[in-house]
Amino acid sequence: MTDVVAIWDVILSDGVHKIEFEHGTISGKRVVYVDGKEEIRKEWMFKLVGKETFCVGAGKTKATIRILSGKGYIFKYILEIEGKSFRKYVENRSKTTNTWVLHLDGKNFRIVLEKNTMDVWCNGKIIESAGEFVDDGTETHFSVGNHACYIKAVSSGKRREGIIHTLIVDNREIPELPK
């Protein structure tokens, strides 16, 4: 019998990772699974509250599950990613990345631009890219298979909107995934 008490889907540049947490409220057992693989197992913990820290994804992103007590034997489980609450992390991530999904040559590709580093990820791996300045902004060029791609960055002209990033594959614009 499993005591799974919380499940989170965490979106990182290398893909979506499923985090599951088991907590035996009688035995104090704690088990953390990332993408179905056991990362932490602690049996017979006498302290039922506390925290478990582990890494997620190819970039070894730091994650912590905090176990807080409520009334009686009710517990609250809080996931933190890179020191931020899960909610804050998701809000921040939508500001610092752009994501596109495209179908080429019978395969699906997930392209992620990390705006703070200008790294381009394709299906969970950083790919080689080259940036260049153009008249109306910048272009970051890379390839997916035999397809020429680039991400065009131009100013929106509005301070609140900032820079607009557009993925172009084989001279056609690919719509971004909704945030």
mmCIF file with all atom_site columns, all heavy atoms in Angstrom, residues 50-54 62-66 78-83:
data_model
loop_
_atom_site.group_PDB
_atom_site.id
_atom_site.type_symbol
_atom_site.label_atom_id
_atom_site.label_alt_id
_atom_site.label_comp_id
_atom_site.label_asym_id
_atom_site.label_entity_id
_atom_site.label_seq_id
_atom_site.pdbx_PDB_ins_code
_atom_site.Cartn_x
_atom_site.Cartn_y
_atom_site.Cartn_z
_atom_site.occupancy
_atom_site.B_iso_or_equiv
_atom_site.pdbx_formal_charge
_atom_site.auth_seq_id
_atom_site.auth_comp_id
_atom_site.auth_asym_id
_atom_site.auth_atom_id
_atom_site.pdbx_PDB_model_num
ATOM 1   N N   . GLY A 1 50 ? 9.041  18.300 8.874   1.00 0.00 ? 50 GLY A N   1
ATOM 2   C CA  . GLY A 1 50 ? 10.420 18.572 8.457   1.00 0.00 ? 50 GLY A CA  1
ATOM 3   C C   . GLY A 1 50 ? 10.476 18.859 6.978   1.00 0.00 ? 50 GLY A C   1
ATOM 4   O O   . GLY A 1 50 ? 9.522  19.379 6.389   1.00 0.00 ? 50 GLY A O   1
ATOM 5   N N   . LYS A 1 51 ? 11.596 18.493 6.353   1.00 0.00 ? 51 LYS A N   1
ATOM 6   C CA  . LYS A 1 51 ? 11.734 18.757 4.919   1.00 0.00 ? 51 LYS A CA  1
ATOM 7   C C   . LYS A 1 51 ? 12.616 17.701 4.281   1.00 0.00 ? 51 LYS A C   1
ATOM 8   O O   . LYS A 1 51 ? 13.443 17.066 4.944   1.00 0.00 ? 51 LYS A O   1
ATOM 9   C CB  . LYS A 1 51 ? 12.298 20.150 4.660   1.00 0.00 ? 51 LYS A CB  1
ATOM 10  C CG  . LYS A 1 51 ? 13.726 20.350 5.135   1.00 0.00 ? 51 LYS A CG  1
ATOM 11  C CD  . LYS A 1 51 ? 14.196 21.774 4.862   1.00 0.00 ? 51 LYS A CD  1
ATOM 12  C CE  . LYS A 1 51 ? 15.629 21.945 5.334   1.00 0.00 ? 51 LYS A CE  1
ATOM 13  N NZ  . LYS A 1 51 ? 16.151 23.261 5.021   1.00 0.00 ? 51 LYS A NZ  1
ATOM 14  N N   . GLU A 1 52 ? 12.420 17.529 2.979   1.00 0.00 ? 52 GLU A N   1
ATOM 15  C CA  . GLU A 1 52 ? 13.242 16.632 2.162   1.00 0.00 ? 52 GLU A CA  1
ATOM 16  C C   . GLU A 1 52 ? 13.701 17.420 0.952   1.00 0.00 ? 52 GLU A C   1
ATOM 17  O O   . GLU A 1 52 ? 12.885 18.028 0.260   1.00 0.00 ? 52 GLU A O   1
ATOM 18  C CB  . GLU A 1 52 ? 12.453 15.399 1.719   1.00 0.00 ? 52 GLU A CB  1
ATOM 19  C CG  . GLU A 1 52 ? 12.020 14.499 2.862   1.00 0.00 ? 52 GLU A CG  1
ATOM 20  C CD  . GLU A 1 52 ? 13.166 13.926 3.677   1.00 0.00 ? 52 GLU A CD  1
ATOM 21  O OE1 . GLU A 1 52 ? 14.276 13.764 3.128   1.00 0.00 ? 52 GLU A OE1 1
ATOM 22  O OE2 . GLU A 1 52 ? 12.961 13.634 4.870   1.00 0.00 ? 52 GLU A OE2 1
ATOM 23  N N   . THR A 1 53 ? 15.010 17.421 0.694   1.00 0.00 ? 53 THR A N   1
ATOM 24  C CA  . THR A 1 53 ? 15.577 18.163 -0.430  1.00 0.00 ? 53 THR A CA  1
ATOM 25  C C   . THR A 1 53 ? 16.186 17.176 -1.414  1.00 0.00 ? 53 THR A C   1
ATOM 26  O O   . THR A 1 53 ? 16.823 16.204 -1.024  1.00 0.00 ? 53 THR A O   1
ATOM 27  C CB  . THR A 1 53 ? 16.636 19.163 0.077   1.00 0.00 ? 53 THR A CB  1
ATOM 28  O OG1 . THR A 1 53 ? 16.002 20.069 0.987   1.00 0.00 ? 53 THR A OG1 1
ATOM 29  C CG2 . THR A 1 53 ? 17.236 19.960 -1.071  1.00 0.00 ? 53 THR A CG2 1
ATOM 30  N N   . PHE A 1 54 ? 15.976 17.444 -2.707  1.00 0.00 ? 54 PHE A N   1
ATOM 31  C CA  . PHE A 1 54 ? 16.429 16.550 -3.772  1.00 0.00 ? 54 PHE A CA  1
ATOM 32  C C   . PHE A 1 54 ? 16.573 17.363 -5.053  1.00 0.00 ? 54 PHE A C   1
ATOM 33  O O   . PHE A 1 54 ? 16.282 18.560 -5.068  1.00 0.00 ? 54 PHE A O   1
ATOM 34  C CB  . PHE A 1 54 ? 15.422 15.399 -3.970  1.00 0.00 ? 54 PHE A CB  1
ATOM 35  C CG  . PHE A 1 54 ? 14.013 15.872 -4.171  1.00 0.00 ? 54 PHE A CG  1
ATOM 36  C CD1 . PHE A 1 54 ? 13.464 15.972 -5.442  1.00 0.00 ? 54 PHE A CD1 1
ATOM 37  C CD2 . PHE A 1 54 ? 13.222 16.233 -3.088  1.00 0.00 ? 54 PHE A CD2 1
ATOM 38  C CE1 . PHE A 1 54 ? 12.186 16.432 -5.631  1.00 0.00 ? 54 PHE A CE1 1
ATOM 39  C CE2 . PHE A 1 54 ? 11.922 16.690 -3.269  1.00 0.00 ? 54 PHE A CE2 1
ATOM 40  C CZ  . PHE A 1 54 ? 11.407 16.786 -4.543  1.00 0.00 ? 54 PHE A CZ  1
ATOM 41  N N   . LYS A 1 62 ? 17.221 22.287 -7.730  1.00 0.00 ? 62 LYS A N   1
ATOM 42  C CA  . LYS A 1 62 ? 16.983 21.974 -6.317  1.00 0.00 ? 62 LYS A CA  1
ATOM 43  C C   . LYS A 1 62 ? 15.496 22.081 -5.987  1.00 0.00 ? 62 LYS A C   1
ATOM 44  O O   . LYS A 1 62 ? 14.848 23.082 -6.303  1.00 0.00 ? 62 LYS A O   1
ATOM 45  C CB  . LYS A 1 62 ? 17.781 22.917 -5.425  1.00 0.00 ? 62 LYS A CB  1
ATOM 46  C CG  . LYS A 1 62 ? 17.611 22.646 -3.950  1.00 0.00 ? 62 LYS A CG  1
ATOM 47  C CD  . LYS A 1 62 ? 18.404 23.645 -3.121  1.00 0.00 ? 62 LYS A CD  1
ATOM 48  C CE  . LYS A 1 62 ? 18.027 23.520 -1.658  1.00 0.00 ? 62 LYS A CE  1
ATOM 49  N NZ  . LYS A 1 62 ? 18.560 24.615 -0.863  1.00 0.00 ? 62 LYS A NZ  1
ATOM 50  N N   . ALA A 1 63 ? 14.971 21.042 -5.346  1.00 0.00 ? 63 ALA A N   1
ATOM 51  C CA  . ALA A 1 63 ? 13.577 21.018 -4.910  1.00 0.00 ? 63 ALA A CA  1
ATOM 52  C C   . ALA A 1 63 ? 13.519 20.590 -3.450  1.00 0.00 ? 63 ALA A C   1
ATOM 53  O O   . ALA A 1 63 ? 14.334 19.787 -2.993  1.00 0.00 ? 63 ALA A O   1
ATOM 54  C CB  . ALA A 1 63 ? 12.771 20.056 -5.774  1.00 0.00 ? 63 ALA A CB  1
ATOM 55  N N   . THR A 1 64 ? 12.564 21.134 -2.725  1.00 0.00 ? 64 THR A N   1
ATOM 56  C CA  . THR A 1 64 ? 12.369 20.791 -1.315  1.00 0.00 ? 64 THR A CA  1
ATOM 57  C C   . THR A 1 64 ? 10.883 20.600 -1.062  1.00 0.00 ? 64 THR A C   1
ATOM 58  O O   . THR A 1 64 ? 10.065 21.408 -1.505  1.00 0.00 ? 64 THR A O   1
ATOM 59  C CB  . THR A 1 64 ? 12.905 21.913 -0.389  1.00 0.00 ? 64 THR A CB  1
ATOM 60  O OG1 . THR A 1 64 ? 14.294 22.087 -0.645  1.00 0.00 ? 64 THR A OG1 1
ATOM 61  C CG2 . THR A 1 64 ? 12.697 21.583 1.077   1.00 0.00 ? 64 THR A CG2 1
ATOM 62  N N   . ILE A 1 65 ? 10.549 19.523 -0.358  1.00 0.00 ? 65 ILE A N   1
ATOM 63  C CA  . ILE A 1 65 ? 9.176  19.329 0.106   1.00 0.00 ? 65 ILE A CA  1
ATOM 64  C C   . ILE A 1 65 ? 9.179  19.608 1.600   1.00 0.00 ? 65 ILE A C   1
ATOM 65  O O   . ILE A 1 65 ? 9.939  18.998 2.355   1.00 0.00 ? 65 ILE A O   1
ATOM 66  C CB  . ILE A 1 65 ? 8.674  17.892 -0.166  1.00 0.00 ? 65 ILE A CB  1
ATOM 67  C CG1 . ILE A 1 65 ? 8.622  17.635 -1.673  1.00 0.00 ? 65 ILE A CG1 1
ATOM 68  C CG2 . ILE A 1 65 ? 7.295  17.687 0.478   1.00 0.00 ? 65 ILE A CG2 1
ATOM 69  C CD1 . ILE A 1 65 ? 8.292  16.197 -2.042  1.00 0.00 ? 65 ILE A CD1 1
ATOM 70  N N   . ARG A 1 66 ? 8.353  20.558 2.017   1.00 0.00 ? 66 ARG A N   1
ATOM 71  C CA  . ARG A 1 66 ? 8.221  20.890 3.435   1.00 0.00 ? 66 ARG A CA  1
ATOM 72  C C   . ARG A 1 66 ? 6.964  20.209 3.967   1.00 0.00 ? 66 ARG A C   1
ATOM 73  O O   . ARG A 1 66 ? 5.910  20.274 3.342   1.00 0.00 ? 66 ARG A O   1
ATOM 74  C CB  . ARG A 1 66 ? 8.113  22.396 3.634   1.00 0.00 ? 66 ARG A CB  1
ATOM 75  C CG  . ARG A 1 66 ? 9.374  23.127 3.250   1.00 0.00 ? 66 ARG A CG  1
ATOM 76  C CD  . ARG A 1 66 ? 9.385  24.565 3.785   1.00 0.00 ? 66 ARG A CD  1
ATOM 77  N NE  . ARG A 1 66 ? 10.600 25.228 3.390   1.00 0.00 ? 66 ARG A NE  1
ATOM 78  C CZ  . ARG A 1 66 ? 11.769 25.089 4.007   1.00 0.00 ? 66 ARG A CZ  1
ATOM 79  N NH1 . ARG A 1 66 ? 11.864 24.321 5.047   1.00 0.00 ? 66 ARG A NH1 1
ATOM 80  N NH2 . ARG A 1 66 ? 12.839 25.722 3.574   1.00 0.00 ? 66 ARG A NH2 1
ATOM 81  N N   . ILE A 1 78 ? 4.321  21.336 1.135   1.00 0.00 ? 78 ILE A N   1
ATOM 82  C CA  . ILE A 1 78 ? 4.647  22.484 0.289   1.00 0.00 ? 78 ILE A CA  1
ATOM 83  C C   . ILE A 1 78 ? 5.889  22.154 -0.534  1.00 0.00 ? 78 ILE A C   1
ATOM 84  O O   . ILE A 1 78 ? 6.921  21.775 0.022   1.00 0.00 ? 78 ILE A O   1
ATOM 85  C CB  . ILE A 1 78 ? 4.906  23.740 1.151   1.00 0.00 ? 78 ILE A CB  1
ATOM 86  C CG1 . ILE A 1 78 ? 3.643  24.084 1.949   1.00 0.00 ? 78 ILE A CG1 1
ATOM 87  C CG2 . ILE A 1 78 ? 5.362  24.907 0.276   1.00 0.00 ? 78 ILE A CG2 1
ATOM 88  C CD1 . ILE A 1 78 ? 3.851  25.166 2.979   1.00 0.00 ? 78 ILE A CD1 1
ATOM 89  N N   . LEU A 1 79 ? 5.769  22.294 -1.852  1.00 0.00 ? 79 LEU A N   1
ATOM 90  C CA  . LEU A 1 79 ? 6.913  22.087 -2.734  1.00 0.00 ? 79 LEU A CA  1
ATOM 91  C C   . LEU A 1 79 ? 7.560  23.437 -3.019  1.00 0.00 ? 79 LEU A C   1
ATOM 92  O O   . LEU A 1 79 ? 6.864  24.407 -3.358  1.00 0.00 ? 79 LEU A O   1
ATOM 93  C CB  . LEU A 1 79 ? 6.479  21.434 -4.049  1.00 0.00 ? 79 LEU A CB  1
ATOM 94  C CG  . LEU A 1 79 ? 7.588  21.237 -5.091  1.00 0.00 ? 79 LEU A CG  1
ATOM 95  C CD1 . LEU A 1 79 ? 8.630  20.241 -4.593  1.00 0.00 ? 79 LEU A CD1 1
ATOM 96  C CD2 . LEU A 1 79 ? 7.003  20.773 -6.411  1.00 0.00 ? 79 LEU A CD2 1
ATOM 97  N N   . GLU A 1 80 ? 8.878  23.472 -2.895  1.00 0.00 ? 80 GLU A N   1
ATOM 98  C CA  . GLU A 1 80 ? 9.652  24.655 -3.270  1.00 0.00 ? 80 GLU A CA  1
ATOM 99  C C   . GLU A 1 80 ? 10.628 24.247 -4.365  1.00 0.00 ? 80 GLU A C   1
ATOM 100 O O   . GLU A 1 80 ? 11.241 23.182 -4.289  1.00 0.00 ? 80 GLU A O   1
ATOM 101 C CB  . GLU A 1 80 ? 10.438 25.207 -2.079  1.00 0.00 ? 80 GLU A CB  1
ATOM 102 C CG  . GLU A 1 80 ? 9.565  25.733 -0.975  1.00 0.00 ? 80 GLU A CG  1
ATOM 103 C CD  . GLU A 1 80 ? 10.353 26.183 0.251   1.00 0.00 ? 80 GLU A CD  1
ATOM 104 O OE1 . GLU A 1 80 ? 11.585 25.951 0.300   1.00 0.00 ? 80 GLU A OE1 1
ATOM 105 O OE2 . GLU A 1 80 ? 9.740  26.750 1.162   1.00 0.00 ? 80 GLU A OE2 1
ATOM 106 N N   . ILE A 1 81 ? 10.744 25.084 -5.378  1.00 0.00 ? 81 ILE A N   1
ATOM 107 C CA  . ILE A 1 81 ? 11.687 24.866 -6.473  1.00 0.00 ? 81 ILE A CA  1
ATOM 108 C C   . ILE A 1 81 ? 12.644 26.054 -6.467  1.00 0.00 ? 81 ILE A C   1
ATOM 109 O O   . ILE A 1 81 ? 12.204 27.206 -6.513  1.00 0.00 ? 81 ILE A O   1
ATOM 110 C CB  . ILE A 1 81 ? 10.976 24.767 -7.845  1.00 0.00 ? 81 ILE A CB  1
ATOM 111 C CG1 . ILE A 1 81 ? 9.902  23.681 -7.835  1.00 0.00 ? 81 ILE A CG1 1
ATOM 112 C CG2 . ILE A 1 81 ? 11.986 24.562 -8.965  1.00 0.00 ? 81 ILE A CG2 1
ATOM 113 C CD1 . ILE A 1 81 ? 10.423 22.269 -7.747  1.00 0.00 ? 81 ILE A CD1 1
ATOM 114 N N   . GLU A 1 82 ? 13.933 25.763 -6.415  1.00 0.00 ? 82 GLU A N   1
ATOM 115 C CA  . GLU A 1 82 ? 14.971 26.796 -6.364  1.00 0.00 ? 82 GLU A CA  1
ATOM 116 C C   . GLU A 1 82 ? 14.672 27.841 -5.291  1.00 0.00 ? 82 GLU A C   1
ATOM 117 O O   . GLU A 1 82 ? 14.833 29.035 -5.500  1.00 0.00 ? 82 GLU A O   1
ATOM 118 C CB  . GLU A 1 82 ? 15.143 27.456 -7.736  1.00 0.00 ? 82 GLU A CB  1
ATOM 119 C CG  . GLU A 1 82 ? 15.658 26.488 -8.786  1.00 0.00 ? 82 GLU A CG  1
ATOM 120 C CD  . GLU A 1 82 ? 15.833 27.108 -10.157 1.00 0.00 ? 82 GLU A CD  1
ATOM 121 O OE1 . GLU A 1 82 ? 15.170 28.114 -10.474 1.00 0.00 ? 82 GLU A OE1 1
ATOM 122 O OE2 . GLU A 1 82 ? 16.660 26.576 -10.906 1.00 0.00 ? 82 GLU A OE2 1
ATOM 123 N N   . GLY A 1 83 ? 14.199 27.370 -4.119  1.00 0.00 ? 83 GLY A N   1
ATOM 124 C CA  . GLY A 1 83 ? 13.949 28.257 -2.990  1.00 0.00 ? 83 GLY A CA  1
ATOM 125 C C   . GLY A 1 83 ? 12.663 29.054 -3.057  1.00 0.00 ? 83 GLY A C   1
ATOM 126 O O   . GLY A 1 83 ? 12.374 29.843 -2.158  1.00 0.00 ? 83 GLY A O   1
#
